[in-house]
Amino acid sequence: MGVLELVVHGRDIAQAVGVDYTPSDALAAPVVERLFPDAPTGHAPADTLLWCTGRAALPGLPRRGAWRWDGRVRQA
């Protein structure tokens, strides 16, 4: 959850000051896997994370208006 907050809000801040920033797929992939188990597949992890958090659209999927992460404990 901490990585999610840093990555997406860091991107928000970067955009506000005119800096183009996309989170790395290496950071985004485990966040998507852990917090968004129902996320669509077949897209870059960073793009999927931005879609999951309502910050971008994905091909064939409109930008989300509302979202929530899934913090339930699950067995590995």
Side-chain angles (χ1 to χ4, degrees), residues 4-66:
L4 168 78
E5 294 293 333
L6 289 170
V7 169
V8 298
H9 291 303
R11 180 179 179 271
D12 295 343
I13 293 165
Q15 284 190 319
V17 297
V19 174
D20 185 31
Y21 168 72
T22 300
S24 75
D25 287 333
L27 281 175
V31 173
V32 170
E33 181 179 340
R34 173 64 184 91
L35 297 177
F36 301 99
D38 61 341
T41 59
H43 306 280
D47 294 339
T48 303
L49 178 61
L50 296 175
W51 179 83
C52 287
T53 58
R55 286 162 171 79
L58 283 175
L61 297 171
R63 186 174 174 171
R64 289 177 127 180

